[in-house]
């Protein structure tokens, strides 16, 4: 398996506290079948984390990669970021301050969970205009997606990619995120499943638990694309496998008038 969303770099955000956490996260991932991990620290969160691409990022990533290669040689660590969407994101991309996944065109983007959907659409459009490919992190967790999952249908039509957190399927982020994750999966709107791991204890790098959990309802062929093939394609900068999108019949947001 290939995990394209982790907070495994030590001491840079709310993920791994130190290099020992990073080693444990890598070892746990390897034990349960993950071979490639993308380090995606939080970036561009106003007042919290900058983590722009530069000397400090390069030093931290290279040192972590060297130690993990020595301590857990079965893991390949790749570079990336989870960038918070702000008005200046397109400019930051053109200035080289945002590092896409493994130096491809895929940019892992997140929004405020209570973000205005019009703002989200506008920023996604602008990111695409600068020739990046938006990869929307944990789409199932945004309130506006939970209110109207048809938003993701439009995103996929536009050419954006969609990542779901493995923990959402098991209720880790609440019932609304769980319901939405399954709706997106059942409508063939998910590009990849990732761990969004933050530590070796909670929200871990173990991907096999979600794979096994989902295997009771979904085929191995389908899950392999979500857990391995598409994440690998993203890391290699090539096109992902697309499924036939299933439209939503439910008219979300419709409220009948009481006479």
């Amino acid at each position: 398996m290939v995990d394209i969303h982790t907070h495994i770099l030590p001491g840079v955000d709310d993920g791994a506290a130190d290099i020992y956490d990073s080693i444990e996260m890598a070892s746990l991932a390897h034990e349960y079948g993950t071979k490639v991990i993308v380090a995606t620290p939080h970036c561009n969160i106003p007042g919290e984390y900058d983590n722009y691409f530069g000397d400090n990022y390069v030093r931290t990533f290279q040192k972590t990669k060297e130690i993990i290669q020595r301590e857990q040689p079965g893991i390949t660590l790749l570079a990336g970021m989870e960038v918070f969407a702000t008005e200046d994101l397109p400019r930051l991309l053109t200035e080289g301050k945002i590092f896409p996944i493994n130096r491809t065109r895929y940019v892992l983007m997140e929004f405020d969970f209570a973000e205005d959907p019009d703002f989200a659409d506008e920023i996604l459009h602008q990111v695409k205009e600068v020739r990046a490919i938006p990869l929307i992190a944990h789409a199932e967790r945004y309130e506006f997606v939970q209110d109207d999952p048809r938003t993701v249908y439009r995103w996929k039509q536009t050419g954006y990619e969609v990542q779901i957190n493995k923990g959402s399927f098991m209720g880790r982020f609440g019932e609304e995120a769980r319901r939405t994750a399954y709706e997106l999966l059942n409508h063939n709107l998910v590009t990849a499943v990732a761990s969004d791991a933050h530590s070796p204890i909670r929200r871990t790098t173990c991907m096999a638990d979600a794979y096994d959990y989902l295997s009771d309802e979904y085929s191995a062929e389908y899950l392999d694309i979500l857990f391995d093939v598409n994440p690998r394609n993203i890391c290699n900068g090539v096109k992902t496998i697309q499924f036939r999108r299933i439209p939503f019949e439910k008219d979300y947001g419709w409220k009948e008038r009481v006479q």
Side-chain angles (χ1 to χ4, degrees), residues 1-4 36 38 78 101 191-194 207 223-237 240:
M1 288 180 278
V2 176
D3 193 354
I4 57 172
V36 179
V38 184
L78 303 178
I101 290 178
T191 305
V193 177
M207 294 281 284
L223 295 180
D224 286 346
I225 291 171
L226 300 177
F227 282 75
D228 185 85
V229 178
N230 272 350
R232 192 177 301 276
N233 286 349
I234 288 169
C235 292
N236 289 328
T240 59

Side-chain angles (χ1 to χ4, degrees), residues 157-170:
Q157 280 184 310
T158 309
Y160 309 148
E161 304 291 4
V162 174
Q163 176 256 309
I164 300 295
N165 280 7
K166 58 124 177 173
S168 291
F169 294 110
M170 296 174 284

